[in-house]
Amino acid sequence: FRRLGLRGMKQRLLVVANRLPVSANRRGEDQWSLEISAGGLVSALLGVKDVDAKWIGWAGVNVPDEVGQQALTNALAEKRCIPVFLDEEIVHQYYNGYCNNILWPLFHYLGLPQEDRLATTRNFESQFDAYKRANQMFADVVYEHYQEGDVIWCHDYHLMFLPRCLKEHDINMKVGWFLHTPFPSSEIYRTLPSRSELLRSVLCADLVGFHTYDYARHFVSACTRILGLEGTPEGVEDQGKLTRVAAFPIGIDSDRFKRALDIDAAKRHVNELKQRFAGRKVMLGVDRLDMIKGIPQKILAFEKFLEENPEWIDKVVLLQIAVPTRTDVPEYQKLTSQVHEIVGRINGRFGTLSAVPIHHLDRSLDFHALCALYAVTDVALVTSLRDGMNLVSYEYVACQGSKKGVLILSEFAGAAQSLGAGAILVNPWNITEVADSIKHALTMTSDEREKRHRHNYAHVTTHTAQDWAETFVCELNDTVAEALMRTRQ
Ligand code: ADQ
């Protein structure tokens, strides 16, 4: 890639994502309070500096009245955010329905939810219709704010129809689309009833990006097998028009995490945690409470470890921080109960009068508390069943400057491709293997720990969110410039 850097380019960037990076709470008819929300996309884009960027997306609330909408628009403007207003019905059909019930499980190889498979199939067309309408609503807001020369960067599976809406409005818009989840094998993807229409819409973008080369390859295969188009080393070609397809592995703002640990609030948390868990090894899990994160599998592996290594009872504790998401979706409510039940059972089984083996918190932590946890814990356990990248593994490594803790990482997370040499890679479905890895991590020599950590730390601190965004935007500019040259020749 040509690494021009965004600094000084003075190019405007419109980031379009389903959710704005803030959650809005109404405090009165025209009063809103805004709070940064947790999530991978937010964390990554907060790390992108020195760009004239505006963020377009849904604020996560239904605001039916004009007074409220205007007040929220004004409050968000200070954060360089522009809201898209979606009503309850469209949120239900587009977001809960098509995005979260159909695309999300499919892209993570979970298929459609079993018990409402028939209902899902029946509702499919109306949900897809709502999906297209919602994408058009995002496009309408982009048109309102677009200026010639802007780069429009569309994010994620919620907005696969957006590149098409934008290009139909103005073929000269520079449009990039990036997927934060895996793109599944074409054999999985091809079960989606709207498979062709979605692929064709994504191909309207100038540049299509994925976290890993494998996801990019799956996408190109889907285009060749389902649409009969030609896959080239550059991307996908349709009657002479090339859509560039490439891998852009995301990163984090590692300096922000390191700096956070110098702040008094974080130091206080570190001291408290050290005192609280003195004499015991601490393992950490931090996830959104989602089925793709493999939380039940992780906890069951920990149980297996205690069962097979009783000498560790009372000497090791697992802290599992699970921030609830999509709480109105029944599948997620079921997952919460399932996790609570397993944790209760294991704590009943292995707890003593002085300690319980698992501390499970169903909530988001503030940034400094999270960094402190990353810094003091001995092992991080990431057991995603599938995960586009998994930034928690990066954040853990960034905060482990002095301790050099061990990362146990699922081979099904995109991060396994970048942190594989330093982490202990596991198949999260194999509970015995994960239990053995826990033992390996807890008993590892300091030489091995240091060597592994050094590898990962070098990667995390040199492949940052800033690099990711710069590379994507530069590549988009280059792709458009090259296409223009080709048409002029
Ligand atoms: P997510 O599925 O949200 O992201 P991940 O990449 O791990 O997964 O990011 C989670 C983010 O939320 C991290 O920055 C973490 O610090 C924060 N977080 C999680 N639990 C938290 C808690 N309890 N309290 C506070 N903060 C918490 C999606 C894809 C990923 C992909 C990212 C970025 O699913 O695969 O890596 O986008 O592309």
Side-chain angles (χ1 to χ4, degrees), residues 38-41 43-44 104 108 156 178-182 211 250 252 257 286-288 290 292-293 321-323 361 363-367 370 374 386-393 395 414 468:
L41 173 59
S43 306
W104 176 265
H108 292 90
D156 234 355
F178 184 86
L179 183 66
H180 290 262
T181 69
H211 282 310
I250 203 168
I252 60 165
F257 283 85
V286 176
D287 308 272
R288 279 186 310 99
D290 194 297
I292 69 149
K293 302 292 181 182
I321 321 290
V323 58
L361 297 187
R363 63 182 167 87
S364 182
L365 286 185
D366 77 55
F367 183 60
L370 185 65
Y374 284 142
R386 294 276 166 186
D387 216 335
M389 179 59 86
N390 188 279
L391 295 181
V392 166
S393 50
E395 294 168 3
W468 166 70

Side-chain angles (χ1 to χ4, degrees), residues 221-441:
S221 300
C223 293
T224 56
R225 291 180 186 169
I226 296 167
L227 302 179
L229 300 178
E230 195 186 336
T232 73
E234 293 285 295
V236 177
E237 217 172 293
D238 184 9
Q239 296 171 1
K241 192 233 167 216
L242 174 77
T243 304
R244 177 105 174 82
V245 179
F248 301 88
I250 203 168
I252 60 165
D253 179 1
S254 50
D255 285 341
R256 177 167 166 256
F257 283 85
K258 287 189 278 171
R259 275 196 314 271
L261 291 168
D262 291 331
I263 306 274
D264 284 345
K267 286 183 183 161
R268 254 195 321 275
H269 283 300
V270 166
N271 288 335
E272 278 165 20
L273 288 165
K274 279 185 177 163
Q275 275 175 20
R276 175 133 181 251
F277 296 110
R280 277 189 286 170
K281 294 274 187 188
V282 187
M283 305 192 28
L284 178 67
V286 176
D287 308 272
R288 279 186 310 99
L289 209 139
D290 194 297
M291 23 280 193
I292 69 149
K293 302 292 181 182
I295 299 171
Q297 286 80 355
K298 171 174 4 192
I299 298 172
L300 290 174
F302 185 63
E303 178 182 32
K304 178 105 182 153
F305 165 74
L306 292 178
E307 205 174 82
E308 291 184 349
N309 302 276
E311 69 281 12
W312 278 95
I313 296 171
D314 230 4
K315 296 202 177 65
V316 60
V317 56
L318 170 64
L319 303 182
Q320 175 61 47
I321 321 290
V323 58
T325 45
R326 305 174 193 172
T327 43
D328 45 354
V329 180
E331 295 271 319
Y332 286 73
Q333 293 161 359
K334 231 180 283 166
L335 176 67
T336 309
S337 319
Q338 187 191 21
V339 169
H340 287 177
E341 191 255 285
I342 306 175
V343 169
R345 183 172 57 71
I346 298 173
N347 279 343
R349 185 173 171 202
F350 294 106
T352 61
L353 285 177
S354 52
V356 289
I358 304 177
H359 291 247
H360 175 84
L361 297 187
D362 277 342
R363 63 182 167 87
S364 182
L365 286 185
D366 77 55
F367 183 60
H368 292 112
L370 185 65
C371 292
L373 268 180
Y374 284 142
V376 299
T377 43
D378 301 279
V379 179
L381 201 43
V382 175
T383 52
S384 310
L385 306 180
R386 294 276 166 186
D387 216 335
M389 179 59 86
N390 188 279
L391 295 181
V392 166
S393 50
Y394 275 58
E395 294 168 3
Y396 178 72
V397 170
C399 292
Q400 280 281 326
S402 52
K403 197 162 176 118
K404 303 177 176 45
V406 185
L407 173 66
I408 299 178
L409 177 61
S410 163
E411 63 189 65
F412 300 116
Q417 302 200 2
S418 42
L419 304 181
I424 302 180
L425 291 187
V426 290
N427 171 3
W429 297 99
N430 185 341
I431 283 171
T432 307
E433 185 192 330
V434 180
D436 291 347
S437 301
I438 293 175
K439 184 167 185 186
H440 180 190

Side-chain angles (χ1 to χ4, degrees), residues 249-251 254 389 394 397 415 417-419 453-464 467:
I250 203 168
S254 50
M389 179 59 86
Y394 275 58
V397 170
Q417 302 200 2
S418 42
L419 304 181
H453 176 73
R454 211 178 313 127
H455 177 279
N456 283 349
Y457 192 75
H459 184 89
V460 166
T461 50
T462 51
H463 296 77
T464 62
D467 298 331

Side-chain angles (χ1 to χ4, degrees), residues 144-157:
E144 248 177 73
H145 294 269
Y146 174 76
Q147 291 174 14
E148 205 184 318
D150 286 356
V151 164
I152 306 168
W153 191 2
C154 312
H155 288 267
D156 234 355
Y157 61 98

